[in-house]
Amino acid sequence: MKIAVEKLPKEVQKIFKIFGNNIRLVGGCTRDLLLKKPINDFDFATKFLPQETIKILEKNKIKAVPTGLKYGTITAVINKKNFEITTLRRDENQRGRATDVVFTDDYKTDAMRRDFTINAIYIDNLGQIHDYFDGIKDLRAKKLRFIGEPELRIKEDFLRILRFFRFSLEYAKTIDLQGLK
């Protein structure tokens, strides 16, 4: 399976063009692209460190806003639209929503920190899909599954309890009993 990058908004294509194979779409936008649902925002994951991301954007005359510098997130503003670009990372020593961030250049490591399989699907600049935890299979089966052990994932971030129910209602045909437990 492949996504037609040329059919994505021109701003997304521009980001892909300037970052090349060092950036991928991730999260809700990839999930919703695969489901052919409307997309409210496009989020990217990149191998570049935040300061490098800012330099690349500014070099290409794109406004860069350090919206979540501690977590590696820069917002690119193109045609008055915001696009979050976050450096690949792993989270350590999580304390609810707070965490210590360690930047990496490995997409699978970044995927491992995400909540659900359906939110850890990446699309690269050529439209290739990178699915490390069978998120596409879960989308097709209308199943919501945590990445890793649900109890541990919830202890890392209690907001995941609410996300579990919200996404179960929207994307699953039945509730995942292991996640519910």
Side-chain angles (χ1 to χ4, degrees):
M1 181 186 294
K2 198 171 175 182
I3 297 295
V5 175
E6 65 277 1
K7 292 186 178 180
L8 295 175
K10 63 184 176 184
E11 297 87 357
V12 171
Q13 292 179 49
K14 183 173 186 171
I15 290 171
F16 272 141
K17 183 177 179 183
I18 64 174
F19 284 89
N21 66 352
N22 293 305
I23 200 165
R24 294 179 183 172
L25 286 169
V26 67
C29 63
T30 60
R31 177 193 64 231
D32 291 345
L33 270 170
L34 293 168
L35 293 172
K36 297 178 176 31
K37 293 179 81 169
I39 299 165
N40 296 323
D41 57 52
F42 289 88
D43 294 329
F44 293 87
T46 184
K47 292 182 176 184
F48 290 111
L49 294 172
Q51 292 304 328
E52 294 171 302
T53 298
I54 290 170
K55 285 180 187 175
I56 292 166
L57 291 170
E58 289 177 347
K59 178 182 172 193
N60 287 276
K61 300 184 181 359
I62 297 171
K63 182 178 178 181
V65 181
T67 48
L69 206 52
K70 175 182 174 183
Y71 297 102
T73 302
I74 306 300
T75 300
V77 182
I78 307 172
N79 298 329
K80 299 181 183 177
K81 298 176 190 167
N82 295 337
F83 301 87
E84 284 190 356
I85 302 173
T86 302
T87 301
L88 299 172
R89 70 180 207 236
R90 73 176 186 272
D91 296 337
E92 294 183 350
N93 192 28
Q94 288 186 270
R95 302 162 309 281
R97 302 269 312 142
T99 187
D100 297 327
V101 171
V102 178
F103 295 125
T104 181
D105 64 356
D106 183 64
Y107 286 96
K108 186 172 183 182
T109 298
D110 187 74
M112 290 170 66
R113 74 175 177 82
R114 296 182 181 273
D115 52 9
F116 306 110
T117 61
I118 65 170
N119 291 337
I121 304 168
Y122 298 75
I123 299 173
D124 68 21
N125 63 317
L126 302 175
Q128 286 295 127
I129 297 170
H130 304 268
D131 181 11
Y132 303 102
F133 300 103
D134 293 325
I136 294 172
K137 181 179 173 185
D138 289 342
L139 277 176
R140 288 182 179 144
K142 295 184 179 179
K143 184 176 184 179
L144 184 74
R145 278 188 313 119
F146 280 98
I147 294 172
E149 191 62 39
E151 189 174 345
L152 293 174
R153 301 320 308 265
I154 289 169
K155 282 181 181 176
E156 292 168 351
D157 182 352
F158 295 121
L159 183 61
R160 288 178 173 156
I161 295 170
L162 297 175
R163 290 171 58 86
F164 173 77
F165 288 108
R166 179 181 143 220
F167 287 123
S168 290
L169 287 170
E170 191 167 348
Y171 297 102
K173 64 181 174 189
T174 61
I175 198 151
D176 177 61
L177 294 179
Q178 186 180 9
L180 182 62
K181 181 181 171 191

